[in-house]
Amino acid sequence: MRLLLDTHVFLWYITADPKLPESFRAATQDASNDVFLSSISVWEAVIKHILGKLSLPTLPATYLPQQRTAHGIAALPVDEGAMVHLAELPPIHRDPFDRLLIAQAKQHELTLMTVDQLFSAYPVQLLQNS
């Protein structure tokens, strides 16, 4: 399976937060899965950190890529191909970071891992949290 982690899922994973569903932890650790973190998530974390909404041990622009690498998660850059899918999304979710993650999941045929219920309103594959 090819998986894309939502920002909160990645943060919960790297901090062993009990809010992370066990199915998400298992799927991320399953060596047969390809797991990705979008540069959109790093961008989102940088902005939230600057605004004082996200506390991290060091600056997110270095900490998150270090953690991504340490956990064997691949980077997923954003390119213009995602914009085609972004333009087709109905305006259900108002968070621009989440909308871009959905567009990337569609572009690269990835299964999204999120607990955000609004994602289910989009035609995108989601890993069920249990």
Side-chain angles (χ1 to χ4, degrees), residues 3 13 32 42 90 120:
L3 303 169
Y13 182 74
S32 68
V42 177
S120 64

Side-chain angles (χ1 to χ4, degrees), residues 40 43-44 86 93-102:
I40 293 298
W43 180 25
E44 178 181 21
L86 181 63
H93 205 309
R94 302 187 68 77
D95 184 314
F97 300 109
D98 289 339
R99 292 177 59 80
L100 279 165
L101 289 176
I102 292 165

Side-chain angles (χ1 to χ4, degrees), residues 22-38:
E22 182 53 40
S23 59
F24 287 11
R25 183 179 333 282
T28 303
Q29 293 174 341
D30 185 337
S32 68
N33 291 333
D34 295 320
V35 184
F36 297 89
L37 179 71
S38 174

Side-chain angles (χ1 to χ4, degrees), residues 54-115:
L54 178 62
S55 177
L56 295 171
T58 60
L59 295 175
T62 53
Y63 175 71
L64 295 181
Q66 288 170 347
Q67 290 297 309
R68 180 189 52 72
T69 300
H71 290 280
I73 297 170
L76 182 65
V78 179
D79 61 41
E80 292 176 356
M83 300 313 122
V84 172
H85 298 281
L86 181 63
E88 296 171 349
L89 294 179
I92 299 165
H93 205 309
R94 302 187 68 77
D95 184 314
F97 300 109
D98 289 339
R99 292 177 59 80
L100 279 165
L101 289 176
I102 292 165
Q104 280 191 298
K106 290 177 60 68
Q107 175 191 13
H108 297 285
E109 298 180 355
L110 301 171
T111 299
L112 261 164
M113 291 174 44
T114 186
V115 298

